[in-house]
């Protein structure tokens, strides 16, 4: 069997396994929906009124998308590794031609499919519930590579967490510990003006920052809002995200267990 054939076979098996877990399917899509409803439709402040959520609704589109490109890969890939390890599946996989990179690529493809659907659902909800106005232009197609690269990046990171954590509960705890600070401190929901001046260094170190800023360059026009244009621009953020995704995927492939 060719490499593509092995990846396709593993991805098909992983998809069927995910769809059989009805609770996992439900909460994968339910969590971002609740986030949009609570923060986008209920907890809103008029622009310029002071406090959180005072920017125009379109400003927060990257934050809503960040919920699925961050939480879903970290928890799903990490939990999958923990589940495989508990069931001694990696020992069986070690006897097959499937490599660690191929295993991670297959499960990353599954996450891309799941997150692609969730991202489309979120965009629809944001536009309908918050009144966000996203400029329609050819640059919108760049949402696809931004989402793909972010999923690859956090799938790789999730594989590392799955290797380090000693159980599925440990993976969930570790992924939430990492994801929650990143979600709110990566230029997503909190505007830089509300943070201390020294915090720019922390944002610079967060990989999610480059996703949020890159997506914002194609979904939000800062003209007339008093908000600065995202640093690095579309091309710069896309380039940094690409480099980080390559490094994270390589690290994740190495972290995937072969035997226990």
């Amino acid at each position: 069997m060719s490499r593509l054939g092995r990846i396709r076979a593993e991805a098909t098996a992983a998809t069927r396994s995910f769809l059989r877990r009805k609770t996992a399917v439900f909460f994968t899509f339910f969590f971002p929906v609740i986030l949009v409803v609570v923060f986008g439709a209920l907890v809103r402040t008029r622009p310029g009124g002071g406090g959180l959520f005072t920017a125009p609704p379109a400003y927060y589109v990257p934050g809503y998308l960040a919920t699925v490109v961050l939480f879903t890969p970290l928890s799903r890939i990490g939990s999958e590794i923990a589940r495989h390890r508990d069931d001694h599946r990696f020992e069986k996989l070690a006897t097959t031609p499937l490599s660690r990179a191929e295993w991670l690529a297959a499960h990353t493809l599954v996450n891309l499919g799941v997150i692609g659907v969730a991202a489309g659902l979120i965009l629809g909800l944001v536009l309908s519930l918050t009144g966000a106005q996203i400029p329609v232009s050819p640059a919108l197609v760049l949402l696809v590579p931004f989402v793909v690269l972010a999923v690859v990046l956090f799938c790789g990171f999730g594989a590392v967490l799955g290797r380090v954590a000693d159980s599925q509960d440990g993976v969930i705890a570790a992924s939430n510990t990492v994801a929650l600070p990143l979600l709110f401190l990566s230029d997503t929901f909190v505007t830089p003006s509300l943070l201390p001046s020294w915090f720019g260094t922390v944002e610079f170190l967060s990989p999610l920052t480059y996703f949020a800023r890159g997506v914002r360059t194609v979904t939000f026009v800062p003209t007339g809002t008093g908000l600065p244009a995202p640093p690095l621009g579309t091309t710069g953020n896309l380039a940094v995200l690409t480099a980080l995704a390559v490094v994270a995927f390589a690290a994740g492939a190495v972290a995937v267990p072969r035997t226990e």
Side-chain angles (χ1 to χ4, degrees):
M1 183 182 292
S2 66
R3 174 174 297 176
L4 289 178
R6 293 192 296 269
I7 293 174
R8 182 170 58 251
E10 179 65 22
T12 300
T15 300
R16 291 173 177 171
S17 176
F18 170 68
L19 293 177
R20 283 196 296 268
R21 299 194 298 273
K22 304 301 182 183
T23 303
V25 174
F26 175 76
F27 282 102
T28 295
F29 297 102
F30 182 71
F31 174 71
V33 168
I34 286 296
L35 194 72
V36 173
V37 171
V38 171
F39 288 105
L42 300 180
V43 184
R44 285 196 293 178
T45 308
R46 291 184 179 181
L52 297 175
F53 294 93
T54 58
Y59 180 88
Y60 302 106
V61 168
Y64 295 123
L65 292 178
T67 61
V68 287
V69 303
L70 176 63
F71 279 90
T72 303
L74 286 182
S75 60
R76 291 200 67 249
I77 292 292
S79 297
E80 199 69 23
I81 287 181
R83 190 180 301 110
H84 274 52
R85 187 173 54 219
D86 292 343
D87 295 340
H88 304 286
R89 297 184 194 177
F90 286 117
E91 294 181 357
K92 298 176 182 178
L93 288 175
T95 64
T96 70
L98 188 72
S99 68
R100 290 180 288 187
E102 291 168 354
W103 184 93
L104 183 57
H107 287 263
T108 299
L109 286 174
V110 176
N111 277 273
L112 281 172
V114 171
I115 292 169
V117 174
L121 176 62
I122 286 176
L123 280 176
L125 286 172
V126 169
L127 293 175
S128 60
L129 295 179
T130 70
Q133 296 180 349
I134 297 177
V136 178
S137 69
L140 270 180
V141 300
L142 292 175
L143 281 177
V144 176
F146 273 114
V147 170
V148 169
L149 288 169
V151 172
V152 172
L153 191 160
F154 290 110
C155 279
F157 198 5
V160 175
L161 288 182
R163 178 63 180 267
V164 173
D166 58 358
S167 65
Q168 292 187 49
D169 290 339
V171 168
I172 299 301
S175 62
N176 287 336
T177 300
V178 171
L180 280 173
L182 287 182
L183 179 62
F184 290 98
L185 302 178
S186 299
D187 202 359
T188 50
F189 293 108
V190 182
T191 58
S193 62
L194 297 177
L195 298 171
S197 58
W198 57 264
F199 197 79
T201 303
V202 178
E203 289 182 322
F204 174 77
L205 295 175
S206 170
L208 190 65
T209 297
Y210 303 100
F211 169 80
R213 290 176 175 173
V215 170
R216 187 166 290 125
T217 62
V218 300
T219 60
F220 176 68
V221 178
T223 305
T225 64
L227 295 168
L232 300 181
T234 305
T235 305
N237 284 292
L238 189 62
V240 174
L241 195 63
T242 300
L244 292 174
V246 171
V247 172
F249 184 87
V254 173
V256 173
R258 292 298 288 172
T259 57
E260 292 296 328

